[in-house]
Structure formats: C-alpha cells, structure tokens
Amino acid sequence: MGMPRSDEVWLVLPSANEANCARTLPRWRAQGYRIAVLQDRARFETVADVVLHKDEYRGWAWGVNTLCREAVPESCRVVVAAGDDMLPDPDRSAQQLGAEYLNRFEDGFGVMQPTGDRFLHSQTYCGSPWFGRGWIERAFVMHDWIRSKRG
C-alpha cells in the first residue's frame, strides 16, 4: 500500500456486488482516490487498496464506520463514503475536492456533499458524503459514549 500521504482522499464503501465494483472502482481510482471496501458473505477480487472481510453486515452506515476505524489510515484527512453504484466527479480529482473540503472545514469537522449531475435526483440527498478526520474522531467518541450509557 505504501506510505500514506496527507492529501490522500479515501473512498469507503461496503459492497457485495462484484460487477458494480468492477465497473465503478477503476473510475474512482483514475480520479486519484484510495479505496477501502468491506465485504461480508460475498468475497471477490477488486482494485481496492484495502478489503475488509466481516462475517456480518449491519448496514451501510455500520460498514462505513467500520472501514473508517479499521482501514483508513489515521493520516488521512478526508474520506468520501459512497455506494458501489456511484461514480466520482469526472472533471475534478480527489485532491481538488479534498482541498475544497479542507478550505471549508480546516479542522476536518464537517460533512460536505458535492453535487454535479441530476442522476436519480442526486441533488436532493446526501448519497456520497465527504467528512474529515475531525468529524470521524468526534463521531466515534460520541458513539462510544452513547454505547457506554446503554450498558
């Protein structure tokens, strides 16, 4: 995998769909993203930098959280979470969009949803949120605190 760079942007996604990953992940890679995929029962080869295997699947958000905790290097300042059927912005690199994110959220504590096309009304929902290291760390602290209160 090599030494992580501070300008790396990681794409994280759970997937059980080999065909979708074969179709979309090379396009993310071509735009400069590092890629982490979570697979549960479906196991297949992919162009991802990291593939996590889990024997359970508790939903997309759980998969994204698991990848952020276990696969994305701590040096990574910006992450985008998407589905295996989504494509990146074809006109701007991961580093360009990552820099835009960090210009808005210098401490990495924020969520951004770039929009460009109108495919499936994509401007009306947050289907590929971008978030930073500050948001990730604070979200996990809050999650762990809530779990501790529930027992």
Side-chain angles (χ1 to χ4, degrees):
M1 185 164 54
M3 280 299 279
R5 298 184 340 240
S6 64
D7 68 338
E8 288 180 340
V9 175
W10 278 74
L11 165 69
V12 297
L13 63 117
S15 179
N17 191 316
E18 182 174 6
N20 275 358
C21 283
R23 183 178 56 82
T24 62
L25 295 186
R27 295 185 57 191
W28 287 92
R29 167 85 63 231
Q31 290 304 106
Y33 295 83
R34 300 296 299 267
I35 303 168
V37 174
L38 182 133
Q39 297 175 355
D40 57 357
R41 292 174 300 281
R43 308 284 169 97
F44 52 88
E45 294 294 318
T46 180
V47 299
D49 297 286
V50 176
V51 177
L52 286 184
H53 295 120
K54 297 292 180 182
D55 292 329
E56 63 181 336
Y57 181 67
R58 292 188 265 163
W60 181 83
W62 172 84
V64 167
N65 289 341
T66 299
L67 287 164
C68 286
R69 278 187 180 209
E70 298 180 25
V72 175
E74 288 186 23
S75 62
C76 174
R77 296 173 56 206
V78 182
V79 172
V80 59
D84 60 17
D85 59 345
M86 301 178 112
L87 295 171
D89 182 329
D91 300 319
R92 293 162 63 201
S93 72
Q95 288 67 37
Q96 287 171 312
L97 288 169
E100 286 185 30
Y101 173 90
L102 291 170
N103 284 337
R104 288 177 178 85
F105 307 106
E106 290 180 22
D107 63 355
F109 187 64
V111 177
M112 176 177 88
Q113 176 62 62
T115 58
D117 63 42
R118 299 188 193 295
F119 180 69
L120 293 177
H121 305 285
S122 63
Q123 293 185 341
T124 62
Y125 61 89
C126 188
S128 56
W130 289 61
F131 40 91
R133 176 60 52 192
W135 190 90
I136 292 167
E137 290 172 358
R138 290 181 199 140
F140 287 141
V141 166
M142 181 58 75
H143 176 266
D144 292 343
W145 180 80
I146 291 169
R147 282 183 48 184
S148 74
K149 296 300 177 189
R150 291 183 182 159

